[in-house]
Amino acid sequence: MNDEYKLHECLRRKSQGITNLHYFHYELFNNIIDMQLTELDDYFTETSAELLLCVACLNPRDSFFTFNKEKLIHLALFYSSEFSIVDLMVLGDQLDTYIIDLCGDDEFFGIEGIASIAEKMVKTKNLIFPLVYMLMKLSLLLPVATTTVEIIFSAMHIVKSRLWNRMRDK
């Protein structure tokens, strides 16, 4: 790997001191990472990426390490039909109390994932923190709703393609 990397004949003049290790670690690896980042940027819009980052703040792993009150309030802003302006102000207070209460409760220690914490909240704390529970429910519905919409658009594409092809044939 310490040998000099040999480029094609036409590019040999440009290769001055590049080792195989350098080529594979930096040139090739960085190009592949750039291609993957471009593909992810094309797939996820800025809004959907922001939505996913906000949902990640509900993760209870490592004693709510990723908890971020501002992002969770921003998440509630995405659901303006579910949260009124008064609800948003109350949500801030509920989130403060919620994180203190759950971090001190042994029943919620070691929970992995939003689904697990929502399940425990149904049994114990959904009436105490109704707005936080609503935020969790909406976060859990997000993947299902997204998948359903993608399936519908995929089916529409198949139907449109088949109809389009028949129209051309006639």
Side-chain angles (χ1 to χ4, degrees):
M1 291 303 282
N2 291 329
D3 293 341
E4 185 175 339
Y5 178 73
K6 300 201 190 284
L7 294 171
H8 298 290
E9 290 295 326
C10 60
L11 300 174
R12 233 178 239 252
R13 292 184 196 124
K14 293 182 182 178
S15 70
Q16 296 174 346
I18 295 176
T19 63
N20 288 324
L21 183 65
H22 179 274
Y23 176 75
F24 286 111
H25 269 211
Y26 297 101
E27 303 292 332
L28 191 62
F29 182 72
N30 286 340
N31 287 338
I32 290 171
I33 294 294
D34 287 342
M35 287 175 10
Q36 288 178 339
L37 284 174
T38 303
E39 185 178 336
L40 286 173
D41 284 343
D42 291 343
Y43 187 74
F44 292 107
T45 63
E46 187 175 324
T47 305
S48 61
E50 188 174 348
L51 188 62
L52 291 172
L53 288 173
C54 290
V55 168
C57 292
L58 285 169
N59 192 358
R61 185 172 284 159
D62 296 330
S63 298
F64 295 91
F65 178 74
T66 58
F67 181 81
N68 185 332
K69 178 182 163 183
E70 289 77 26
K71 283 189 178 183
L72 291 173
I73 291 173
H74 189 68
L75 174 63
L77 290 172
F78 282 108
Y79 298 104
S80 59
S81 62
E82 300 293 330
F83 295 97
S84 67
I85 294 172
V86 175
D87 287 342
L88 291 173
M89 288 188 282
V90 173
L91 178 63
D93 293 335
Q94 272 193 22
L95 285 169
D96 288 335
T97 310
Y98 163 80
I99 196 67
I100 292 168
D101 189 37
L102 263 59
C103 285
D105 193 346
D106 291 337
E107 188 176 334
F108 287 87
F109 181 74
I111 291 180
E112 301 283 326
I114 299 171
S116 301
I117 198 165
E119 185 179 321
K120 286 219 183 237
M121 276 191 73
V122 167
K123 296 175 185 172
T124 58
K125 300 188 185 289
N126 66 331
L127 298 176
I128 300 170
F129 305 109
L131 296 175
V132 176
Y133 182 65
M134 172 67 77
L135 204 57
M136 280 190 190
K137 283 194 319 187
L138 293 170
S139 298
L140 289 170
L141 287 174
L142 184 65
V144 175
T146 305
T147 305
T148 304
V149 169
E150 286 183 8
I151 290 170
I152 290 169
F153 277 118
S154 177
M156 283 176 48
H157 179 69
I158 292 169
V159 169
K160 282 176 68 177
S161 297
R162 288 182 184 159
L163 289 175
W164 185 262
N165 289 340
R166 287 184 187 163
M167 286 173 45
R168 285 187 180 174
D169 292 341
K170 292 181 180 179

